[in-house]
Structure formats: structure tokens, C-alpha cells
Amino acid sequence: MAGAITDDRPSAAEGRQGRPLIVTEDVELLDDLLRLCAAAGARPEVHHGVPDGRGRWETAPLVLVGTDAARRLRGAARRRGVVLVGKDQDDSGVWQRAVEIGADHVLMLPDGEQWLVDRIADVAEGVGRPALTVGVVGGRGGAGASTLACALAVTSARQGTRTLLVDADPLGGGLDVLLGGESADGLRWPAFAASRGRVGGGALEESLPEMHALRVLSWDRGDAVAIPPQAVRAVLAAGRRRGGAVVVDLPRRVDEGVAEALAQLDIGLLVVPAELRAVAAASRVASAFGMVLRDLRVAVRGPYAPGLDDHEVARLLGLPLVGEVPTEAELPDGGKPPGGVPRGPLARFCEGFWARVAARGEAA
């Protein structure tokens, strides 16, 4: 059994890395909580009541209170991040005790173990606000979605934002190649194919290749490996928990794995060349993606066919217009990546995009 009696927004303390606080005298419950903390990679502090001086009570990022200890906390200062934990599924008075101590959640073991491990692991990782997650998809093949995804990520990293670039298209040739880092050390998608539960955000970040001040999750050069939807969900969730920005290069088809990625996006960008056949193809992509993605916008690429401009393309698709994506001259081998020229037109477009979403409060 698990339940919330207040909203689930994290307190300010939860955004800081720290040790959870356990308050209980129940030896059996304590053993369970210590086991769950170990599984989450956290080292808790244990007390029988409110810690002396109360400073630790107020600053601990998460407090796990055993149902046996609730009566000893009735006079403690109210704070966020308190979970009342017990093992008696038939305890009819647990909700009253939760209200008395101002608990955010009531949780009964063993049913709520996975939720609690995830919450403790968030504390161990120092989780704050999740990353702003942007997906990029082409309205048709060759629309330039991968180029824009790379440019957005490169620009974000250049601005000092922790940035993760995810290649979700196994048939796209590899974003590491586009960034000139196909030989960079680090894990690729096949290494995460067996992931099912929680993936540590810090461990994920450290395991991936670093290119142009950002981390990249791409594909290797071996045979195609099917990534189960559970693995896509776990890996993207881990990347988002680190904060900053996550950019996902998406294929145009929607399968179960892509649907998992779409469910974690804040914004989707549909890249559409300004020609009638491309608009027709993009309308089908928009229809499929719009069934899952709540915020889909269009970015238009020239040159323009007669009678079309960026506003007309957006009108035909019925989507908000991000703007016209400029084209940069092809760079020779060893040149800068897409968006890598700070004063280039593509970099300026990406800077404008990040500035607009930040101004609207969408950025992490």
C-alpha cells in the first residue's frame, strides 16, 4: 500500500545531495529500510526520535518515519519530504498519524519497496528539477532532423548546460558519426538493452562518450539490437534526472520504444522542408506523434516551393511555428559539428530556441 496525502513537488532540500534520515525503533522495519537504502546507493542516518538540535530533521533531503515512531514526532517542525513507513497493511490509524506529523506519503512494505528505492536513489543522486527534454523528428527522410538535434545539443552544452544527446533511431547512421566521435570511448545503446528497473543517472552520464562538452548515447557499428521499451524508459528517465537538457533524435515511425521516448518529452520539433510532398508526409508523422506528444511544434527548412513560406507550412500542419531552420555550408572532415560555429546561423537559431523556452519557464 502506498498513498499521497499532499502534492508530490520536491522540497528545496530534495534538490541537494544528502543522506536520508530514518526514525524508528522497530528492528525489523529498520532492517528493511537499511536494505532498501543499500539498494539505492544511499547511506542513511538512524535515530529513534527527532535528532538533537533538530537541524538534521529540518535539512535531511528525505525522512523515513516508522509507524512506531510517529507519536514521538508530533511536536516536530513541519517540513516536506516525510514518508511514514509501516508493514501492517491493516493499520487503520496510519493515516491519522501521517496527518499528525505532516507526512507527504504513507507507504506499506513490501508493496511500496520499488517506489521507495526510487525515491531514496533520487536523494543519493542529488536530484533537482528534471532536464528539459526536446525530441526532434523529420517530416520526411532527409529533412535534417539529426543535424538540428546535434546543433541544439552542441549549443546547449556551449552555454554551460549539462546536456545529453540521445540517438533513438537505430537506422540513422549514428549521431556520434555526425559529431565526429565514432571512435570515442564509452557505452552505446546495445549495452543498455537488458535494463529494466532504475538506471543510475550519474552512472549513465559517466559511462557515455563525451563529445563537444556533452554526453552522447548512440549506436555501435554492429548488427542492429532491439532495445526493449522498458530499457528506453529507464535510460531516458535516468538522463532526465540529472537536470539540464536532453535532446532526442527520433525516427519517423512510432513503435513501443519510441512511444516511451515520446512520453518523456517536454517539446517535440517536427523538421519539415518547405515543399508540398514533404508537408504531406509530415502531416502523417504529426498525426502519429500527436497522439502521444502533448507539445509538437514545426521547424521549417528552405528553400521554399512556390506559394509556401514557413507560416504557410505551419498553417497547413496545424502546428505552432518555431521558425526557419537555416542551412550551414558543409564542413570538411575534422570541421566543427552542426551548430559548432558560435556565430553561425544554425547556432543562432538554436540559441534563440533555448532562450525562448527558458523565458517561458520550460527550461530546467
Side-chain angles (χ1 to χ4, degrees):
M1 181 183 87
I5 58 176
T6 65
D7 62 282
D8 195 27
R9 291 172 298 178
S11 66
E14 285 179 316
R16 298 190 298 269
Q17 186 170 353
R19 299 170 63 185
L21 174 65
I22 297 176
V23 182
T24 184
E25 289 184 338
D26 185 328
V27 175
E28 185 178 349
L29 177 62
L30 178 59
D31 285 343
D32 284 335
L33 293 177
L34 291 176
R35 171 176 56 83
L36 297 178
C37 285
R43 298 175 56 195
E45 293 184 19
V46 179
H47 293 266
H48 298 314
V50 178
D52 294 339
R54 300 198 176 187
R56 182 58 182 150
W57 167 263
E58 295 169 352
T59 61
L62 180 67
V63 180
L64 308 178
V65 179
T67 51
D68 66 291
R71 57 182 174 80
R72 296 193 295 276
L73 299 179
R74 288 174 181 169
R78 295 299 177 98
R79 52 151 293 161
R80 302 289 300 278
V82 176
V83 181
L84 184 62
V85 187
K87 301 187 71 173
D88 182 1
Q89 302 284 349
D90 299 322
D91 185 354
S92 59
V94 66
W95 292 98
Q96 179 61 38
R97 294 197 294 278
V99 171
E100 290 174 352
I101 66 172
D104 291 338
H105 287 82
V106 172
L107 186 112
M108 288 295 168
L109 303 179
D111 291 355
E113 284 193 358
Q114 187 57 58
W115 182 92
L116 190 55
V117 168
D118 288 347
R119 189 70 179 268
I120 297 169
D122 283 344
V123 169
E125 291 184 16
V127 171
R129 190 174 180 182
L132 173 66
T133 307
V134 178
V136 187
V137 60
R140 65 154 170 79
S146 295
T147 297
L148 179 57
C150 287
L152 286 168
V154 168
T155 302
S156 172
R158 186 170 55 242
Q159 294 174 336
T161 302
R162 173 187 281 117
T163 304
L164 169 63
L165 176 61
V166 178
D167 186 351
D169 186 358
L171 303 180
L175 295 186
D176 53 352
V177 176
L178 189 55
L179 292 172
E182 61 269 28
S183 61
D185 292 335
L187 299 182
R188 267 66 173 180
W189 264 119
F192 299 97
S195 300
R196 292 295 185 274
R198 181 189 178 94
V199 175
L204 173 68
E205 183 176 14
E206 292 174 4
S207 71
L208 297 178
E210 183 174 2
M211 309 170 196
H212 310 287
L214 59 97
R215 297 287 178 166
V216 180
L217 176 54
S218 189
W219 301 86
D220 60 17
R221 308 284 82 83
D223 294 337
V225 175
I227 307 298
Q230 303 94 320
V232 175
R233 181 193 315 133
V235 169
L236 281 182
R240 296 188 72 232
R241 285 196 302 272
R242 296 294 287 170
V246 175
V247 180
V248 185
D249 184 29
L250 296 159
R252 289 183 293 127
R253 68 186 186 282
V254 179
D255 56 21
E256 291 184 349
V258 173
E260 290 289 352
L262 292 177
Q264 299 198 48
L265 297 184
D266 297 303
I267 301 170
L269 299 182
L270 180 62
V271 184
V272 184
E275 54 189 52
L276 288 176
R277 290 187 63 191
V279 173
S283 68
R284 293 191 289 272
V285 177
S287 177
F289 277 58
M291 295 176 66
V292 183
L293 182 58
R294 63 183 181 272
D295 186 352
L296 181 62
R297 312 176 190 183
V298 62
V300 182
R301 277 193 179 276
Y304 293 96
L308 287 181
D309 60 19
D310 51 356
H311 293 280
E312 180 64 9
V313 171
R315 187 192 68 80
L316 290 171
L317 293 171
L319 296 174
L321 176 65
V322 172
E324 178 184 351
V325 182
T327 301
E328 284 188 332
E330 293 290 333
L331 295 172
D333 292 342
K336 293 185 179 297
V341 180
R343 296 184 180 181
L346 188 53
R348 291 199 302 270
F349 173 87
C350 295
E351 289 170 358
F353 170 79
W354 291 122
R356 287 192 298 274
V357 296
R360 292 179 56 182
E362 296 163 329

